[in-house]
Amino acid sequence: MNYGYARVSTIAQHLDRQINELKKKGLTEENIFLDKESGKDFDRQSYKRLKKKLKSGDVLYIKSIDRLGRNYMMILEEWRILTKEKNVDIVVIDMPLLDTRIEGKNLVGKFIADVVLQVLSFVAENERETMRQRQAEGIRMAKLRGVRFGRPKITSPDNLDGIIADYLSGKLTSKLACAKSGLSRGTFFRRIKENQR
């Protein structure tokens, strides 16, 4: 049986391009498993269902190696489990050298596929690490320029102490106190706790 697997990292991203490539290989929608989850590990809903379905002699198609995963060591281990333990063939559409269906399963072909896999997995992991470093560097530089991250700090009105006092003495209901202070209910009660410290 032939199966396809497609993955994007977030719900906002689209799987259309990968699905089209898998359909060109003759796969039907019933045999294509889709995930909108990070590739940092293999704890993904559809992938786990797919892996349970795969049996000896099946072929798994993926668009590119980074759709399988992003972690170098995990990709290698997963590849080993699928090809050696489950005896499943894998076809990476964007990389013809990564096709374990090599005629006659000759040793040279298998060796080339394993070497290419190791190189590509390393590149995918290295790219992820580089992206993380660039992001951290960008955040650091932005902070040096005075860019503030996170939600803006909520400023309290000048008369907040009086409003809190009126609320605590029963002159104001919480609804009225919040309306008068312009604060949400949660923020208003946080301010009361802060004042009582």
Side-chain angles (χ1 to χ4, degrees), residues 47 51 54-60 62 65 68 75-92 98-102 105 110 113-114 117:
Y47 184 78
K51 194 172 172 181
L54 289 169
K55 59 188 180 307
S56 181
D58 287 344
V59 180
L60 172 61
I62 53 174
I65 194 66
L68 187 60
I75 291 171
L76 292 178
E77 178 59 13
E78 197 66 15
W79 187 278
R80 186 194 65 74
I81 291 167
L82 294 174
T83 59
K84 308 284 190 284
E85 290 180 17
K86 289 181 101 43
N87 197 31
V88 170
D89 279 311
I90 302 174
V91 177
V92 180
L98 283 179
D99 182 345
T100 61
R101 301 171 304 166
I102 296 158
K105 300 278 186 182
K110 286 175 105 174
D114 284 349
L117 170 68

Side-chain angles (χ1 to χ4, degrees), residues 132-156:
R132 205 179 297 144
Q133 287 172 357
R134 284 186 190 140
Q135 185 180 33
E137 181 66 15
I139 290 169
R140 191 179 69 76
M141 295 303 288
K143 283 182 177 177
L144 287 174
R145 288 193 313 272
V147 174
R148 296 186 58 87
F149 292 89
R151 296 171 79 179
K153 190 165 172 60
I154 298 169
T155 55
S156 301

Side-chain angles (χ1 to χ4, degrees), residues 2-173:
N2 292 349
Y3 294 99
Y5 179 69
R7 181 190 67 79
V8 288
S9 299
T10 66
I11 291 170
Q13 293 174 312
H14 300 285
L15 290 156
D16 303 350
R17 194 171 53 87
Q18 291 177 63
I19 293 168
N20 287 339
E21 289 298 317
L22 293 169
K23 284 181 175 176
K24 284 180 192 173
K25 296 295 177 188
L27 293 161
T28 60
E29 287 193 22
E30 301 84 55
N31 288 348
I32 298 174
F33 290 76
L34 310 172
D35 273 317
K36 289 194 171 192
E37 294 183 56
S38 169
K40 66 180 169 48
D41 59 36
F42 288 93
D43 187 26
R44 299 173 231 140
Q45 293 301 316
S46 286
Y47 184 78
K48 288 193 285 190
R49 281 200 328 273
L50 166 65
K51 194 172 172 181
K52 278 184 186 172
K53 244 181 190 297
L54 289 169
K55 59 188 180 307
S56 181
D58 287 344
V59 180
L60 172 61
Y61 287 85
I62 53 174
K63 172 99 169 75
S64 58
I65 194 66
D66 65 341
R67 297 305 85 206
L68 187 60
R70 291 243 181 234
N71 181 297
Y72 168 63
M73 294 309 291
M74 285 182 171
I75 291 171
L76 292 178
E77 178 59 13
E78 197 66 15
W79 187 278
R80 186 194 65 74
I81 291 167
L82 294 174
T83 59
K84 308 284 190 284
E85 290 180 17
K86 289 181 101 43
N87 197 31
V88 170
D89 279 311
I90 302 174
V91 177
V92 180
I93 297 167
D94 286 354
M95 182 58 59
L97 286 174
L98 283 179
D99 182 345
T100 61
R101 301 171 304 166
I102 296 158
E103 196 174 313
K105 300 278 186 182
N106 67 61
L107 287 176
V108 174
K110 286 175 105 174
F111 173 74
I112 289 170
D114 284 349
V115 169
V116 171
L117 170 68
Q118 291 205 21
V119 170
L120 290 177
S121 298
F122 172 77
V123 169
E125 171 83 0
N126 197 43
E127 191 178 294
R128 185 170 177 242
E129 193 56 41
T130 302
M131 190 171 67
R132 205 179 297 144
Q133 287 172 357
R134 284 186 190 140
Q135 185 180 33
E137 181 66 15
I139 290 169
R140 191 179 69 76
M141 295 303 288
K143 283 182 177 177
L144 287 174
R145 288 193 313 272
V147 174
R148 296 186 58 87
F149 292 89
R151 296 171 79 179
K153 190 165 172 60
I154 298 169
T155 55
S156 301
D158 295 334
N159 63 342
L160 184 62
D161 289 339
I163 296 170
I164 289 173
D166 287 347
Y167 167 73
L168 293 173
S169 68
K171 291 179 185 173
L172 291 174
T173 65

